[in-house]
Amino acid sequence: MQNDALQQILMSASRERSERTVLRTIVDGLAEQPHTALARVWLIGPGDICANCRMRPECPDQSRCLHLAASSGRSLAEPGADWTRIDGEFRRFPVGVRKVGQIAATGRPLYVSNTAEQSEWIVRPEWATREQIRSFAGQPLVFGSETLGVIAVFSRIELSEIDIRWLRLFADQAAITIVNARAFEEIEGLKRRLELENEYLREEISQSQAFGDIVGSSPVLKKVLEQIDLVASTNANVLILGESGTGKELVARAIHERSQRRDRPVVKVNCASIPKELFESKFFGHAKGAFTGALRDRIGRFQLADGGTIFLDEVGEIPLDLQSKLLRVLQEREFERVGEEISRRVDVRIVAATNRDLEAESRAGRFREDLYYRLGVFPIQVPPLRDRAADIGPLAAHFVRRFCEQLNLPSRKLTRGDVQTLERYDWPGNIRELQNVIERALIRSRSGRLKFELKEAKQRLPQEPAVTRAEVHETRVMTITEIKEIERANIERALRQCNGQVYGRNGAAALLGMKPTTLWSRLRSLGFSTDE
């Protein structure tokens, strides 16, 4: 081997920025040298095919072995043979086993000057004879105190002492080139991850404060805030329950911001918006070519959230047949990208949210019971806005300030009448509906009093004297039938909140401010069944 040729190979390899390309440049360059039959590089990696490895009985340590990473050469006996494959019979060597394994274990080179006379070092002597292999030289790839792997050359002539010496120097420089390529790949990987995180955060930043900060001081909201403070400092999985539009995402972000993971991202996944066939790719990422349209490697949401928090919104929408994959991440903290067989470890905290009754869904067989219990280690129930009447005024004022700034409108103030109007509404869409009503009112009412577009059928019946109640509809006289419908809806809500209980301190009669006997009479007059 000529020194100039080896230097040229190293110069070409040093210009590359990926480990795979560096290794390919090295073995191709060695294979092009006169009389070289085959050049190969094995690198030390974790044990991965132990169950099927033909050398497993000889392997002293199944936690790591030598992986064939690059191969190049020319066959004399089979001119069309592909010697660039790295998935053949000798794709793995246990450290310390056979000549390649011994080089890695000892860190010392091995030279077989005559394969015919030293056939004990050749696993397939007939192959060596057929291919006219005369000698073998293997050198450890050492960087600092670490052995990276082994570089080997099968030659059709007997290598000289000077050849062995040059190969030693070549191996030392090749190790440095491999380490540099790994460093470049790591930097590029971190750069790509940062770009992905920035891209994701740019997409989410407009939604990250969808309802502004958590606003309010009602007793039910204070209870939620106490639960947030209680669980935030732990790594427990949290399941946030509540109707749509109640601000479950804000609760999830508050948990993250008060946790030890606050310096890492909180990544949101809206499970209801992902097509079934893309769930795995969105969650775990995919490799280039894994499916039609996979034009490049893509990082998944779980890997993006590594070290931080992943917020699974509408978790009840995950298809049943894919829930086992999510359960595995929860249990084993590892996953595979679509199109890859490499297991990747991940450290994420899961905060999930749903407006479904997952316990009932699991009993009905529509949601895995074991996944439900894994997600719901610490459940938090977010109350609907109708149960937070004291918070409606502060929330409305908050949205007025925010939208005046965003829409470049003059500053506006809510009157007491405005707040009372909003408080009388039932808010089936919760805080999200309040936000939309305020924004629409500001746009439509550039001057004068704000006019809120509320559906009258959903107006609440205030607990006030009848004369005040009539003032609510000062522009329209209600029929007796409409009044009865409002009263009926109000009683139904009271019964739901009290789980059908009429009597007692926690009964519907006490909630409505009437005697139980009076409530029974109203129930009969309004057509409720009173058989129970």
Side-chain angles (χ1 to χ4, degrees):
M1 294 185 184
Q2 298 297 316
N3 177 33
D4 291 345
L6 296 180
Q7 287 184 342
Q8 187 62 44
I9 296 170
L10 289 171
M11 288 179 62
S12 298
S14 66
R15 288 192 288 266
E16 303 297 338
R17 292 294 182 265
S18 77
E19 181 179 308
R20 172 186 283 185
T21 310
V22 164
L23 297 176
R24 170 58 52 197
T25 302
I26 289 173
V27 294
D28 283 348
L30 290 174
E32 289 173 359
Q33 301 308 302
H35 312 297
T36 297
L38 177 65
R40 284 187 161 180
V41 173
W42 287 266
L43 297 177
I44 293 178
D48 60 341
I49 60 168
C50 298
N52 303 316
C53 182
R54 60 189 293 274
M55 297 186 190
R56 181 174 182 176
E58 305 174 65
C59 185
D61 176 11
Q62 293 173 17
S63 65
R64 64 183 196 139
C65 60
L66 287 156
H67 297 224
L68 181 58
S71 177
S72 185
R74 297 182 300 276
S75 172
L76 293 179
E78 303 174 66
D82 182 9
W83 281 9
T84 64
R85 291 179 54 191
I86 58 174
D87 59 350
E89 185 177 0
F90 300 108
R91 64 187 183 278
R92 298 290 184 272
F93 274 110
V95 176
V97 175
R98 311 284 176 87
K99 56 182 179 297
V100 174
Q102 284 200 17
I103 295 170
T106 62
R108 294 194 296 269
L110 177 65
Y111 173 50
V112 180
S113 59
N114 191 318
T115 57
E117 296 177 359
Q118 299 169 281
S119 59
E120 70 275 9
W121 288 109
I122 303 298
V123 178
R124 296 191 305 178
E126 71 285 355
W127 170 81
T129 301
R130 190 169 62 250
E131 293 293 344
Q132 300 179 20
I133 305 298
R134 180 67 183 273
S135 61
F136 166 88
Q139 295 282 353
L141 293 167
V142 180
F143 181 80
S145 59
E146 180 186 3
T147 299
L148 307 178
V150 174
I151 186 168
V153 173
F154 294 83
S155 175
R156 292 191 170 99
I157 63 170
E158 185 173 337
L159 296 172
S160 66
E161 185 176 340
I162 191 69
D163 290 332
I164 304 302
R165 191 178 302 127
W166 280 122
L167 189 59
R168 171 68 262 155
L169 295 173
F170 180 86
D172 289 340
Q173 292 301 312
I176 295 172
T177 306
I178 292 169
V179 169
N180 287 340
R182 288 179 174 178
F184 279 120
E185 284 188 333
E186 184 176 359
I187 292 169
E188 285 299 312
L190 292 171
K191 181 180 176 182
R192 284 196 302 270
R193 174 167 178 156
L194 183 60
E195 289 172 351
L196 287 167
E197 287 182 2
N198 288 339
E199 178 185 348
Y200 173 79
L201 292 173
R202 280 194 298 271
E203 293 172 358
E204 291 292 304
I205 196 166
S206 61
Q207 304 176 23
S208 65
Q209 297 295 327
F211 302 142
D213 296 326
I214 297 178
V215 175
S217 58
S218 63
V220 289
L221 181 62
K222 286 181 178 178
K223 183 179 178 181
V224 171
L225 297 177
E226 289 172 1
Q227 291 178 303
I228 291 173
D229 285 334
L230 189 63
V231 75
S233 60
T234 73
N235 277 321
N237 295 330
V238 179
L239 179 61
I240 305 172
L241 306 167
E243 299 176 7
S244 294
T246 52
K248 296 188 289 293
E249 182 177 350
L250 268 184
V251 173
R253 292 184 181 278
I255 292 171
H256 174 77
E257 289 165 3
R258 288 162 175 78
S259 73
Q260 297 177 350
R261 298 170 178 264
R262 67 179 68 89
D263 294 330
R264 295 296 301 149
V266 53
V267 175
K268 177 186 174 183
V269 182
N270 189 333
C271 302
S273 66
I274 303 175
K276 180 180 178 180
E277 59 273 13
L278 295 180
F279 257 96
E280 283 192 79
S281 174
K282 288 287 186 182
F283 274 28
F284 311 124
H286 62 253
K288 180 180 178 181
F291 51 83
T292 303
L295 303 179
R296 60 187 179 90
D297 290 352
R298 182 173 290 276
I299 192 172
R301 293 299 191 246
F302 270 87
Q303 191 173 353
L304 188 62
D306 191 23
T309 303
I310 189 164
F311 174 49
L312 302 180
D313 197 12
E314 303 298 346
V315 71
E317 303 297 328
I318 299 178
L320 187 63
D321 56 339
L322 295 175
Q323 291 174 17
S324 59
K325 297 182 182 295
L326 176 58
L327 182 63
R328 183 196 170 200
V329 179
L330 287 173
Q331 291 175 331
E332 302 177 18
R333 298 192 176 277
E334 62 179 31
F335 66 93
E336 291 87 33
R337 287 182 181 176
V338 177
E340 282 188 350
E341 296 181 357
I342 301 171
S343 292
R344 301 172 183 269
R345 294 198 62 80
V346 68
D347 173 26
V348 297
R349 180 187 195 169
I350 293 184
V351 178
T354 183
N355 57 10
R356 290 190 180 189
D357 184 347
L358 290 190
E359 186 174 7
E361 293 286 299
S362 64
R363 287 197 301 269
R366 293 187 291 268
F367 198 86
R368 288 183 64 115
E369 187 177 34
D370 45 4
L371 179 57
Y372 166 65
Y373 286 120
R374 282 279 182 176
L375 291 172
V377 173
F378 192 92
I380 295 179
Q381 183 75 44
V382 181
L385 188 55
R386 60 181 171 273
D387 293 344
R388 298 173 51 192
D391 295 334
I392 292 176
L395 276 167
H398 172 78
F399 289 136
V400 167
R401 288 192 300 271
R402 195 177 110 194
F403 287 126
C404 283
E405 292 177 3
Q406 289 184 0
L407 302 174
N408 197 25
L409 296 173
S411 178
R412 303 291 296 270
K413 296 288 186 181
L414 292 172
T415 67
R416 180 58 190 160
D418 291 334
V419 174
Q420 288 176 344
T421 299
L422 296 174
E423 287 178 345
R424 285 193 292 267
Y425 189 60
D426 204 36
W427 300 109
N430 293 295
I431 302 176
R432 185 179 293 120
E433 184 181 7
L434 174 62
Q435 179 186 18
N436 292 341
V437 165
I438 295 294
E439 184 175 12
R440 189 161 53 247
L442 287 169
I443 294 171
R444 293 171 65 89
S445 308
R446 294 300 182 99
S447 61
R449 186 172 178 175
L450 293 174
K451 296 179 181 180
F452 305 111
E453 296 181 6
L454 304 174
K455 298 178 182 178
E456 290 198 29
K458 293 178 182 177
Q459 292 284 338
R460 264 202 280 217
L461 188 65
Q463 301 299 314
E464 296 177 5
V467 63
T468 307
R469 194 179 309 140
E471 291 174 359
V472 174
H473 300 282
E474 57 187 3
T475 61
R476 187 177 72 86
V477 176
M478 298 177 66
T479 66
I480 294 297
T481 301
E482 289 174 323
I483 293 174
K484 283 186 176 181
E485 284 300 319
I486 292 175
E487 184 178 12
R488 180 186 180 90
N490 194 52
I491 291 175
E492 284 179 342
R493 283 193 295 275
L495 290 170
R496 281 199 302 271
Q497 291 182 29
C498 299
N499 297 317
Q501 181 180 340
V502 174
Y503 293 88
R505 293 176 57 188
N506 298 319
L511 183 62
L512 291 166
M514 63 175 66
K515 294 180 180 179
T517 53
T518 303
L519 178 55
W520 278 113
S521 298
R522 294 282 180 87
L523 291 172
R524 284 193 294 271
S525 66
L526 291 171
F528 286 89
S529 174
T530 57
D531 295 336
E532 296 181 358

